[in-house]
């Protein structure tokens, strides 16, 4: 979990509020919602601070939490936490690229939501 914490703390600065808003609107038109293991409300408007809070929230979940027990079939609860946080970070990195107009990030989204 410490390696994940270091990766989360290395998240760059947030895009501007306007960039976040525009990307969220654009993604809403595509019905975009990444597949994550645990629920993350308002994913498309998350900030760096929100990501760090989610890391802390998930890390603190007890093994008997209903949220973890609902998906425990994939692995033990610590593995579920790790996988969720890795997937969340990957999706957030993609989202960060979308916010700043990274063409490669938009190609991924267009292939998933428009070209298929």
């Amino acid at each position: 979990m410490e390696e994940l914490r270091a990766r989360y703390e290395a998240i760059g600065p947030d895009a501007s509020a306007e960039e976040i808003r525009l990307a969220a609107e654009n993604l809403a038109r595509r019905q975009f919602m990444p597949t994550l293991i645990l629920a993350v409300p308002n994913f498309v408007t998350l900030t760096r601070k929100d990501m760090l809070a989610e890391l802390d929230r998930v890390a603190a979940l007890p093994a008997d939490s209903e949220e973890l027990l609902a998906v425990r079939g994939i692995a033990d609860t610590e593995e579920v936490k790790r996988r969720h946080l890795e997937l969340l970070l990957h999706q957030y990195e993609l989202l960060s690229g979308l916010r700043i107009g990274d063409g490669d990030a938009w190609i991924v989204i267009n292939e998933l939501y428009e070209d298929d």
Side-chain angles (χ1 to χ4, degrees), residues 91-116:
Q91 291 296 324
Y92 184 78
E93 289 167 344
L94 176 64
L95 178 62
S96 293
L98 298 172
R99 290 173 173 173
I100 61 169
D102 177 3
D104 290 338
W106 280 108
I107 286 171
V108 169
I109 297 303
N110 289 337
E111 285 179 6
L112 290 172
Y113 290 89
E114 291 182 3
D115 296 342
D116 288 341

Side-chain angles (χ1 to χ4, degrees), residues 58-115:
V58 170
L61 285 173
D64 63 349
S65 81
E66 289 183 29
E67 190 174 4
L68 290 174
L69 292 176
V71 294
R72 186 179 63 187
I74 5 177
D76 67 54
T77 54
E78 288 305 309
E79 180 68 10
V80 170
K81 289 179 186 183
R82 185 187 63 74
R83 285 185 185 182
H84 168 72
L85 291 169
E86 286 176 347
L87 184 57
L88 177 61
L89 182 59
H90 172 75
Q91 291 296 324
Y92 184 78
E93 289 167 344
L94 176 64
L95 178 62
S96 293
L98 298 172
R99 290 173 173 173
I100 61 169
D102 177 3
D104 290 338
W106 280 108
I107 286 171
V108 169
I109 297 303
N110 289 337
E111 285 179 6
L112 290 172
Y113 290 89
E114 291 182 3
D115 296 342

Side-chain angles (χ1 to χ4, degrees), residues 25-50:
E25 287 176 2
N26 199 331
L27 292 169
R29 284 191 295 276
R30 289 174 169 81
Q31 303 290 319
F32 172 78
M33 178 49 75
T35 302
L36 300 168
I37 296 171
L38 303 176
V40 179
N42 304 312
F43 172 79
V44 295
T45 59
L46 290 181
T47 62
R48 181 181 188 279
K49 179 181 174 184
D50 297 330

Side-chain angles (χ1 to χ4, degrees), residues 1-10 55 82 85-86 89:
M1 197 65 76
E2 289 308 310
E3 182 236 330
L4 262 173
R5 180 166 300 284
R7 290 174 54 202
Y8 269 68
E9 289 174 354
L55 170 70
R82 185 187 63 74
L85 291 169
E86 286 176 347
L89 182 59

